[in-house]
Amino acid sequence: MTAVDHSRTGATVSPSAKPAHSGKSLALALIAGAAGAAVVLLASGRTWAKATAVVAQGQLPQTASGQDVTGVPGALAIVGLAALVALFAVRGAGRTAVAVLLTLSGLGTVVGAYLGLSDTAALREKAATATGLSDAGVQDVSHTFWPWAAVVGGLLLLVAGVLALLYGRHWPAMSGRYERAGAAPRGPRRSSSADPDRPEEMWKSLDRGEDPTR
């Protein structure tokens, strides 16, 4: 009897096996990245700050949206979402570069949204436009929770980027399997000159003295 080399058998299986956490990290990155970008884009269009402008006739309420305060989080969220999709179109060093871009997009979104938490420049600019006074002041300044929502969205993008950096090399990529499949191979053409299903061929075969059913 021939002994089986178990060490060699195991060696042929283990290199092709992917880490068990590959699928989990992929799902988590997709959920975190998509949710983070959606939250940031939603928060950017909402009211971030409120105040009142003082005029001779009284007070004028003023509001500033996330886009008024800073356009950085919204722009970086779009970049991060594009990078998340591009991860599956590249491999190797290209995937690493895209993962870095996704990570930086998340980090930049967090920083931009956090700086907007206490920004009043947009409120003062709106007050100046409303009153016609370049030095119009604002008072009773308050901020909503939407800047914090943008911070959370940026953190989700950051998490997606870090997961892509750590485990992205094990994730699948788009391949030719989704391209149009080739046509099914054609069978051999009939060599017989007569086809019983085609009457004209049958008559021609009879004229030549052949058996049309052969």
Side-chain angles (χ1 to χ4, degrees):
M1 296 179 64
T2 304
V4 178
D5 191 348
H6 295 284
S7 61
R8 176 171 298 183
T9 304
T12 58
V13 175
S14 57
S16 60
K18 294 183 179 179
H21 51 254
S22 175
K24 295 181 180 179
S25 63
L26 172 59
L28 182 58
L30 287 175
I31 294 173
V39 169
V40 174
L41 292 174
L42 176 64
S44 297
R46 302 295 180 173
T47 299
W48 282 26
K50 300 178 180 179
T52 55
V54 180
V55 294
Q57 295 80 9
Q59 297 179 342
L60 293 175
Q62 302 295 320
T63 60
S65 67
Q67 290 293 341
D68 295 330
V69 175
T70 173
V72 172
L76 289 180
I78 295 176
V79 173
L81 188 60
L84 183 65
V85 175
L87 280 173
F88 303 97
V90 293
R91 294 176 182 269
R95 176 168 291 184
T96 301
V98 175
V100 170
L101 178 61
L102 176 58
T103 304
L104 293 178
S105 298
L107 181 60
T109 300
V110 172
V111 174
Y114 183 79
L115 293 178
L117 286 170
S118 57
D119 187 274
T120 59
L123 287 172
R124 291 196 302 269
E125 182 179 351
K126 286 200 165 189
T129 302
T131 61
L133 303 173
S134 59
D135 57 346
V138 292
Q139 61 184 15
D140 300 329
V141 178
S142 63
H143 292 81
T144 66
F145 72 94
W146 286 110
W148 287 109
V151 171
V152 173
L155 288 174
L156 291 175
L157 283 171
L158 182 60
V159 168
V162 172
L163 288 173
L165 285 173
L166 294 177
Y167 307 112
R169 63 184 181 275
H170 302 298
W171 295 349
M174 290 185 296
S175 62
R177 71 177 61 181
Y178 301 106
E179 298 177 359
R180 180 180 179 274
R186 296 181 179 178
R189 300 183 64 179
R190 294 189 177 184
S191 58
S192 175
S193 59
D195 188 349
D197 296 330
R198 299 174 62 185
E200 65 277 7
E201 294 293 339
M202 184 175 64
W203 287 113
K204 292 180 180 179
S205 178
L206 290 173
D207 293 339
R208 290 192 295 270
E210 297 178 357
D211 184 357
T213 60
R214 185 176 55 188

